[in-house]
Amino acid sequence: MKRIFFSGICLAGLFAGCLLFFTSCETLENFGDKISGIFASDKDEEENSVSGKASPVKIQPRQTYYVTPESHEKAYSYRTDLPDKTIQTYIKNKNVDSLRQTNPNEYIKSIAGKINESADNDFERVKLAHDVICLLISYDAKNFWANTVPSQDWQSVLKTKTAVCEGYANLFQQFMTSLKISSQKVSGYARGVGTDILTENPKASNHAWNIVKIEDCWYLVDCTWDSGYMKGKSSVQSYTTDWLFLKPEHFVYTHFPSDAKNQLIQPALSAAEFSALPDFRPKLFEIAGDGFNSIKKNNSAASSYSIESKIKEGWKLTYVLRADSGSEVKNGIWTEKDGSITETTFQFPSAGRYSVFVYYEKESSLSGQSCGQFIINASEASSIKYPAVYPVKSKSAKLISPKQSPLAGGDTVEFEVFCDDRAFVAAIVGRNFIQLENDGSGSFTGHVSIPKGTKQISIGLSANGKGSYETLAVFEVK
């Protein structure tokens, strides 16, 4: 499932001149964080085009406004993807909810009181206020698409329980005022609904979010995007903490504030530098670490392109490759895992521009959610095609060979599959199930003669060798 984030509405731009801006944290001596450089050197670009590898880029040191690494670690301990149960129960209380509709000021005081009673520090206070908003307020997709967005003052947002980004940010501000925590509303450009990284204009304000000061340092919060996502023209309530206290060097991949100081990065990125960034989401950094730092929005390659990364245990990344026409490239992606390193290679059927969409999912899952997009400009066509490999319930199943498709009718091909949690693996040719031999360690091998006229061969997995086989891979035959 693809999460399409709310861009908000251009009301955000009307308030840009009213913001009170900070300059920095009080202490800068201990800053050690850096953001990777945006542009490769000419030599790097040339090597990238020839090898098709995502090569290291030149590093530009950029300080982020954290006092110490410990403050960042403390903030991230609240990024749990789980709402607080106490506050979740409290906002469902009928007496409390009646205040929301009849007396918003008293409602804010009541919620703030409960937050102060429950929280041990300002990080937790912000997290609980964030939870109230993300659980209570739904994105006003109907009025957003109709261009009939009503007043976004915090009282109206509370009463209607709907808002666009401006309303989310206003309500967050009101909670911070009641909790006596310094914060500011930020307006700028965000890569959400209605935007396209190929044609975007980061100088056009379309979104609003917040910055908040905790223990002498500023952090970023986007309650709108943490409340859910857009599916078609309807909003889906889906709580997350992806955008709560997210590192500035990751936040800036999707959010470009109108005032550069609100990037919380020094020196700040220019509009051109932001536009050169790929569209990467928090989960990608969480799962792949810094493994994607060398990728730009536009990347050059010959006929193929490879990415190497270390994926967090228990997770996987999958990809969709689309030509400039919008059509999906079939059999053009191959992912190989060697120890802790995962390498994915893309083959391009013709020269041209291609979009790569990245999805994350748990290893046990059969479907993922969007977490990235970037472009590859291929200068040559590749003759290589891969077999189609499908997600299966087996945790260990892996096609070892052959790795290219199509196969040739009349040839004899050796198949090898590793799968230590299934008893049977078969090459399926028409209605014939040709069992591969298990060496006892989970490695299945076998030579298969391909009759001429065969259109395809499937590799299937089974626990008992009877009934249906789960399809692991499909080879074209010519």
Side-chain angles (χ1 to χ4, degrees), residues 252-273:
V252 79
Y253 275 77
T254 52
H255 293 63
F256 187 73
S258 299
D259 191 298
K261 291 190 292 293
N262 291 326
Q263 291 179 26
L264 309 190
I265 292 173
Q266 185 74 309
L269 272 66
S270 67
E273 287 177 313

Short mmCIF file of all heavy atoms in Angstrom, two decimals, residues 252-273:
data_model
loop_
_atom_site.label_atom_id
_atom_site.label_comp_id
_atom_site.label_asym_id
_atom_site.label_seq_id
_atom_site.Cartn_x
_atom_site.Cartn_y
_atom_site.Cartn_z
N VAL A 252 14.55 16.94 5.88
CA VAL A 252 14.72 17.85 4.74
C VAL A 252 14.61 17.12 3.40
O VAL A 252 14.57 17.77 2.35
CB VAL A 252 16.08 18.58 4.86
CG1 VAL A 252 17.24 17.69 4.42
CG2 VAL A 252 16.07 19.89 4.07
N TYR A 253 14.54 15.81 3.40
CA TYR A 253 14.30 15.09 2.15
C TYR A 253 12.88 15.30 1.63
O TYR A 253 12.61 15.05 0.45
CB TYR A 253 14.55 13.60 2.34
CG TYR A 253 15.99 13.18 2.18
CD1 TYR A 253 16.92 13.41 3.18
CD2 TYR A 253 16.43 12.55 1.02
CE1 TYR A 253 18.25 13.02 3.05
CE2 TYR A 253 17.76 12.16 0.86
CZ TYR A 253 18.66 12.40 1.89
OH TYR A 253 19.97 12.02 1.74
N THR A 254 11.97 15.74 2.48
CA THR A 254 10.57 15.92 2.08
C THR A 254 10.00 17.29 2.41
O THR A 254 8.99 17.68 1.83
CB THR A 254 9.68 14.86 2.77
OG1 THR A 254 9.93 14.89 4.19
CG2 THR A 254 9.95 13.47 2.24
N HIS A 255 10.61 18.03 3.34
CA HIS A 255 10.08 19.31 3.79
C HIS A 255 11.11 20.41 3.56
O HIS A 255 12.25 20.30 4.02
CB HIS A 255 9.75 19.27 5.29
CG HIS A 255 8.61 18.36 5.67
ND1 HIS A 255 8.64 17.00 5.47
CD2 HIS A 255 7.41 18.65 6.26
CE1 HIS A 255 7.50 16.47 5.92
NE2 HIS A 255 6.75 17.44 6.39
N PHE A 256 10.70 21.46 2.86
CA PHE A 256 11.59 22.59 2.58
C PHE A 256 10.91 23.86 3.08
O PHE A 256 10.04 24.43 2.40
CB PHE A 256 11.88 22.68 1.08
CG PHE A 256 12.91 23.70 0.72
CD1 PHE A 256 14.25 23.49 1.01
CD2 PHE A 256 12.55 24.89 0.10
CE1 PHE A 256 15.21 24.44 0.66
CE2 PHE A 256 13.49 25.85 -0.24
CZ PHE A 256 14.83 25.62 0.05
N PRO A 257 11.27 24.34 4.27
CA PRO A 257 10.61 25.51 4.85
C PRO A 257 10.90 26.79 4.07
O PRO A 257 11.98 26.93 3.47
CB PRO A 257 11.18 25.58 6.27
CG PRO A 257 12.47 24.86 6.19
CD PRO A 257 12.30 23.78 5.16
N SER A 258 9.95 27.71 4.11
CA SER A 258 10.13 28.98 3.41
C SER A 258 11.29 29.78 4.01
O SER A 258 11.98 30.50 3.29
CB SER A 258 8.84 29.80 3.48
OG SER A 258 7.78 29.11 2.85
N ASP A 259 11.47 29.69 5.32
CA ASP A 259 12.61 30.33 5.96
C ASP A 259 13.68 29.26 6.21
O ASP A 259 13.44 28.28 6.91
CB ASP A 259 12.22 30.98 7.28
CG ASP A 259 13.31 31.87 7.83
OD1 ASP A 259 14.41 31.34 8.13
OD2 ASP A 259 13.09 33.09 7.98
N ALA A 260 14.84 29.46 5.65
CA ALA A 260 15.90 28.45 5.69
C ALA A 260 16.31 28.06 7.10
O ALA A 260 16.71 26.92 7.35
CB ALA A 260 17.12 28.95 4.92
N LYS A 261 16.18 29.00 8.07
CA LYS A 261 16.60 28.68 9.44
C LYS A 261 15.80 27.52 10.02
O LYS A 261 16.26 26.80 10.88
CB LYS A 261 16.46 29.92 10.32
CG LYS A 261 17.44 31.03 10.01
CD LYS A 261 17.42 32.11 11.06
CE LYS A 261 16.13 32.90 11.08
NZ LYS A 261 15.94 33.71 9.87
N ASN A 262 14.58 27.36 9.51
CA ASN A 262 13.71 26.31 10.06
C ASN A 262 14.01 24.92 9.52
O ASN A 262 13.33 23.96 9.86
CB ASN A 262 12.25 26.67 9.80
CG ASN A 262 11.82 27.86 10.64
OD1 ASN A 262 12.29 28.04 11.76
ND2 ASN A 262 10.96 28.70 10.08
N GLN A 263 15.05 24.81 8.69
CA GLN A 263 15.54 23.47 8.34
C GLN A 263 16.24 22.83 9.53
O GLN A 263 16.37 21.61 9.59
CB GLN A 263 16.53 23.55 7.17
CG GLN A 263 15.94 23.94 5.84
CD GLN A 263 17.01 24.03 4.76
OE1 GLN A 263 18.04 23.37 4.82
NE2 GLN A 263 16.74 24.85 3.76
N LEU A 264 16.72 23.66 10.47
CA LEU A 264 17.51 23.23 11.62
C LEU A 264 18.83 22.61 11.17
O LEU A 264 19.38 21.72 11.84
CB LEU A 264 16.74 22.25 12.51
CG LEU A 264 15.33 22.65 12.96
CD1 LEU A 264 14.81 21.69 14.02
CD2 LEU A 264 15.29 24.07 13.47
N ILE A 265 19.32 23.03 10.04
CA ILE A 265 20.59 22.55 9.47
C ILE A 265 21.46 23.75 9.15
O ILE A 265 20.96 24.78 8.69
CB ILE A 265 20.33 21.73 8.19
CG1 ILE A 265 19.63 20.42 8.52
CG2 ILE A 265 21.63 21.44 7.45
CD1 ILE A 265 19.19 19.65 7.29
N GLN A 266 22.75 23.63 9.39
CA GLN A 266 23.66 24.74 9.14
C GLN A 266 24.90 24.23 8.40
O GLN A 266 25.57 23.33 8.92
CB GLN A 266 24.06 25.38 10.46
CG GLN A 266 24.91 26.62 10.34
CD GLN A 266 24.13 27.83 9.89
OE1 GLN A 266 23.43 27.75 8.89
NE2 GLN A 266 24.22 28.92 10.60
N PRO A 267 25.24 24.73 7.21
CA PRO A 267 24.47 25.71 6.44
C PRO A 267 23.23 25.07 5.82
O PRO A 267 23.22 23.88 5.52
CB PRO A 267 25.45 26.16 5.36
CG PRO A 267 26.37 25.00 5.19
CD PRO A 267 26.50 24.37 6.54
N ALA A 268 22.21 25.88 5.65
CA ALA A 268 20.94 25.37 5.13
C ALA A 268 21.07 25.01 3.65
O ALA A 268 21.92 25.53 2.93
CB ALA A 268 19.86 26.43 5.30
N LEU A 269 20.21 24.09 3.22
CA LEU A 269 20.17 23.71 1.81
C LEU A 269 19.48 24.80 1.00
O LEU A 269 18.51 25.42 1.46
CB LEU A 269 19.40 22.40 1.62
CG LEU A 269 20.18 21.09 1.74
CD1 LEU A 269 20.69 20.89 3.16
CD2 LEU A 269 19.30 19.92 1.34
N SER A 270 19.96 25.01 -0.21
CA SER A 270 19.28 25.90 -1.14
C SER A 270 18.12 25.15 -1.78
O SER A 270 18.01 23.92 -1.66
CB SER A 270 20.25 26.37 -2.23
OG SER A 270 20.62 25.27 -3.05
N ALA A 271 17.27 25.88 -2.49
CA ALA A 271 16.16 25.24 -3.21
C ALA A 271 16.68 24.24 -4.23
O ALA A 271 16.11 23.16 -4.42
CB ALA A 271 15.28 26.30 -3.87
N ALA A 272 17.79 24.58 -4.90
CA ALA A 272 18.37 23.67 -5.89
C ALA A 272 18.90 22.40 -5.23
O ALA A 272 18.74 21.30 -5.77
CB ALA A 272 19.48 24.38 -6.65
N GLU A 273 19.51 22.54 -4.06
CA GLU A 273 20.02 21.37 -3.35
C GLU A 273 18.88 20.48 -2.88
O GLU A 273 18.96 19.25 -2.95
CB GLU A 273 20.89 21.80 -2.18
CG GLU A 273 22.24 22.35 -2.60
CD GLU A 273 23.05 22.85 -1.42
OE1 GLU A 273 22.50 23.60 -0.58
OE2 GLU A 273 24.24 22.50 -1.33
#
